Amino acid sequence: MPDSTPQLKSDTLMKQMKLHLSTDASKELTKKIGLVYQINIAPKKLGFDEVIYVVDLKKGEVTKGPYEGGKPDATFAFKDDDFVKVATGKMNPQIAFMRGAMKIKGSLSAAQKFTPDIFPKPSKM
Amino acid sequence: MAMRDLVTGGAACAVPGSSSSSNPVAALASALIGSSSKTTQERLKELPTSIPTSSDRQYYPEAPTLPGSEFDQEHYLQPSAQGSDFLHGFRAADRGQFADVWDEIHHGQPPHLQGRASQSHLPKFEHAFHQVNSQLQPTLDGITPDDHKLSPRFFVKDLTWLSNHLFVVVPSFLSLGIEVHYESTNPSPSVTGPPQRVLSNFLHSFLDSSRGGIPFHPAPLPGLGLSEVDKQCIRDRTSIMARHMFADKSDEFTNAQVDALLCSLDIDNSVQAKGHIPGRFSELEDYWNESQGSRQAGHLPANGWVTEFDQHRAQQGDPELWALSFERQHGVNGWASEFEREQSQMAQLGQTRGANISDFAAMEQTRMLAHTLAQNNDPKFQNSKFLQFVSKMSRGELIIDDNQVKPSTSGDWAAEYQHEYNGGLSWADEFGHTKASANLALRWEFNHSLSHGPDRWVNEFSAEHKQPNLVEDQWVDEFSKLHIQDWADEFGHQVGEGAFGNESTDNWASAYDEYLNEQMATKQQSGGSRGVYVFSEMNPYVGHPNPLKEGQELFRKGLLSEAVLALEAEVIKNPDNAEGWRLLGIAHAENDDDQQAIASMMKAQEVDPTNLEVLLALGVSHTNELEQAAALKYLYSWLLHHPKYGTLAPRELSESLHYADVARLFDQAAQMSPEDADVHIVLGVLYNLSREYDKAISSFQTALKLRPNDYSLWNKLGATQANSIQSADAILAYQQALDLKPNYVRAWANMGISYANQGMYEESVRYYVRALAMNPKADNAWQYLRISLSCASRNDMFEACDSRNLDVLQKEFPL
């Protein structure tokens, strides 16, 4: 089994993102944004038991664990549910930020480019 | 930064020494309207009796022999340059009036000599005044008595003003109708008055002592021979005035000051002293000052009135006579029309500024906020609802009341006030006049105030305006409840970091709009919490003889939304009908509404806990919602309750489910009977849970060989392919599903997703719109539609999308 016991909803989205970045459709994305985001996802409470993903829109890849190529352009902290809401367009990132559902570290102009359309939408069976 | 200051009423808005400055709105209000006492304060800061508290204070060399006698000389010094133009305007108004009467007092000239024709003193005063404060010139020019018509509205006001600032004169002639002040030049005073000059100066020194904040010391005075009525008037005026002047001091201090003064004048403060509630009075004062301030650039008709009034007073010496003579001069209806004109002006003022002080303060803040926001020239920001909201607030078109934003209804205090008093006109008979009601109201007020003293009027007026004070507090409360402050803090913080480019303001403005929308949306959906089925409000199938049959028929025809209604009617009628709930759940799932699907399936499971179809559907829906644990539980239950594979499942496993165990059990089941499509379907769902999409795809493909006409199976295959980003294949699978079931909303929406994930946004919009046309309640599709519109640079369609206007969207994006 490639993934051990699934725990986060975000894991599914990240997996899809990873696959998405391997397709031609994502080439435009990396060209357009060209930034590295680190996303810390907590199951219940911000800052606790965080699972860290790096969405590298320079190289076009998603990796688990903290960014190793220096400093990411922006780091976000979410709760699992809130990340799903943002990534699926249920919640606007700015609103998430205003509500404190999303914490931002790093460049705000980089954070501004973090929009729901960079993530592929999950399809439903 | 600035924004936050504006919203929270930061330090810049606070007035040192103003009352209740802990409340930012109140502080602002005081800054704007509480200037009256400051004016005198600055004007008289050179007083000997005051304690030097600042360096710019000047002193007059000669020591006064009697308290207040220094006022025999005119000395107006330049007020300190602090304060806004607005406040200067106030000073101008105040000074102009003050100076007018001051001239009369100190030159002892009878008003009928000084009246309209005699301008000799005014230019003189003006000259002196210009030297002091040339910036007040434009306002002062308005003082010349000639260019004023008597305006009844200011009549009442000036009674108040006079009574506050010139109580030396007013109490006497108001109460007794005597011409006390001018007795030295008037050969035949009708009543013997007290030595007014002494009294005047004495009272002025009392006024001045207050400025230094030191206690007023009683001074021996020559016998003044004040009548009881005089005394009462002085007492009343003093207590009112003291509360006004010492608004920033404690009540004890105020009372001590008043007592000291009254003691000197040999007036008993305890017996008949009328209590004036300070809050009421200051409110009235504030109001008048505010209304005066708003007319700062105008003609100051009040000054003209002062002169004119004095002129009439000197001639007639009786308030009623005065009124009659005015009528003779101007005609009975002159008043009425002029009053009405004034009132309509006032009404306009009232509408632009809002109904009352509290709104005014609130609006002043929002106006500043609006102004700041309006600096941003971005058209999108300019059109944002937030800015519109703020500017409406600032114009008084909206008020916040009871946590609800309401359009302002009545901004016209004058009309209200008039209306209120139109009822109580019985005095009219007394005087035998028959006049227009506006006229009556005014005259009633006038006579009333003359006979009972203006303080009565003050009470009445302030009673009327007590409410606004509450409203003001409410406003502040509500405003903070809205968390706008938090928002402003955060916004200010971000802006402070200077991290925003121009485009970002866009985002933030529209984000705020969305925030509002979202809040409204959550309100609407507040009933739809997880796992609770939400019934449609209007259901034509309620009362249908056999809604289940009807629902099944509609479902078979593919009319999903109709089927949902019929099936809802069925489960309302028979809440224990598992089949009704199950089919309802399936209809919702096919309609792309997983929340409702889960809710109905859970109801079905309650009634029939072992129904395999229900358990599978619950597993699928929870997988769609990315809820792995719940999905796993239902899929395991499926296995557990299956007549054939149930033996495979050890009972104890259901306590702590591990994906690996469950997957292993299903593998065994699939080996047991490879021809059972159901097992492959469940396996496919299970592999979706573990994101092993390739295995999932092959499971579904195996199942499809066994059941090629299962449209939902084609959709499952497509969705799995889409989630593993094989979008082109997915679209083929969806196409199969739609060939079998053209009204399959979920498949249409999934088509949209697949196109969007391939970057074909314009195409995706067409499919989303198609799905929504069949089920406008599919919230996910609306969200995805908006994203696709944005990516396709079709922002022009946002409005249609946000208002869920399908007609426009279908026309624009036909499939």
Side-chain angles (χ1 to χ4, degrees), chain B residues 387-403:
Chain B
L387 184 59
Q388 285 167 13
F389 171 77
V390 168
S391 37
K392 271 185 186 166
M393 281 273 294
S394 73
R395 292 194 299 266
E397 289 170 23
L398 292 172
I399 53 173
I400 292 183
D401 184 22
D402 204 21
N403 209 10

Side-chain angles (χ1 to χ4, degrees), chain A residues 1 8-9 12 16 19-20 23 88 90 92 94 97-99 108 112 117 120-125, chain B residues 487 494 507-508 514 594 624-626 659 688 691 715 722-723 746 750 753 757 780 783-784 791:
Chain A
M1 239 175 51
L8 296 177
K9 298 180 185 181
T12 304
Q16 287 174 18
L19 294 168
H20 182 58
T23 65
T88 57
K90 282 191 176 75
N92 178 302
Q94 276 96 25
F97 174 69
M98 281 183 221
R99 290 179 158 183
L108 266 180
Q112 284 287 320
D117 56 273
K121 304 293 159 276
S123 302
K124 289 187 171 183
M125 295 184 292
Chain B
W487 176 82
Q494 293 292 326
N507 293 333
W508 289 85
E514 278 178 41
D594 269 307
N624 285 339
E625 295 293 296
L626 306 175
Y659 170 79
N688 258 290
R691 298 179 290 278
N715 180 64
N723 286 339
R746 169 149 290 168
N750 278 338
I753 290 171
N757 286 349
N780 278 332
Q783 286 148 11
Y784 296 161
C791 292

Side-chain angles (χ1 to χ4, degrees), chain B residues 206 209-210 214-216 246 252-261:
Chain B
F206 165 72
S209 76
S210 68
I214 54 157
F216 179 73
F246 302 124
E252 289 85 344
F253 181 82
T254 309
N255 292 337
Q257 294 285 90
V258 173
D259 286 347
L261 174 83

Side-chain angles (χ1 to χ4, degrees), chain B residues 616 677-685 700 703 707 710 713 716:
Chain B
L616 177 56
D678 282 339
V679 180
H680 294 287
I681 293 172
V682 179
L683 256 179
V685 176
F700 286 135
R707 240 186 257 171
D710 186 336
L713 195 46
K716 283 183 178 69

Side-chain angles (χ1 to χ4, degrees), chain A residues 1-26 28-29 32 53 64 80-81 84-100 102-104 106-110 112-113 115-125, chain B residues 487 490 494 497 499-500 503-504 507-508 510-512 514-515 518-519 522 530 589 592 594 619-620 623-628 658-660 663 684-685 688-693 700 712 715-716 718-720 722-725 734 744 746 750 753-754 756-759 761 768 780 783-784 787 790-791:
Chain A
M1 239 175 51
D3 293 284
S4 58
T5 46
Q7 287 194 336
L8 296 177
K9 298 180 185 181
S10 307
D11 291 337
T12 304
L13 294 182
M14 284 300 181
K15 165 88 180 196
Q16 287 174 18
M17 183 66 182
K18 187 175 187 167
L19 294 168
H20 182 58
L21 286 177
S22 66
T23 65
D24 288 345
S26 67
E28 211 161 306
L29 200 62
K32 195 176 88 187
Y53 281 98
K64 224 169 173 176
D80 190 26
D81 282 343
V84 171
K85 280 183 191 160
V86 169
T88 57
K90 282 191 176 75
M91 197 198 283
N92 178 302
Q94 276 96 25
I95 288 161
F97 174 69
M98 281 183 221
R99 290 179 158 183
M102 174 173 86
K103 305 281 182 209
I104 304 176
S107 151
L108 266 180
S109 58
Q112 284 287 320
K113 292 188 180 175
T115 49
D117 56 273
I118 66 175
F119 289 96
K121 304 293 159 276
S123 302
K124 289 187 171 183
M125 295 184 292
Chain B
W487 176 82
E490 212 150 7
Q494 293 292 326
E497 286 180 9
F500 290 121
E503 58 171 319
S504 62
N507 293 333
W508 289 85
S510 62
Y512 189 83
E514 278 178 41
Y515 180 63
E518 195 192 325
Q519 291 230 313
T522 33
R530 200 157 195 91
D592 205 27
D594 269 307
V620 170
T623 306
N624 285 339
E625 295 293 296
L626 306 175
E627 288 163 356
Q628 287 106 332
H658 288 288
Y659 170 79
V685 176
N688 258 290
L689 265 185
S690 62
R691 298 179 290 278
E692 293 167 276
Y693 296 117
F700 286 135
S712 78
N715 180 64
K716 283 183 178 69
T720 309
N723 286 339
S724 69
I725 319 296
Y734 294 141
Y744 197 178
R746 169 149 290 168
N750 278 338
I753 290 171
S754 283
N757 286 349
Q758 293 179 83
Y761 296 111
Y768 290 140
N780 278 332
Q783 286 148 11
Y784 296 161
I787 293 172
S790 163
C791 292

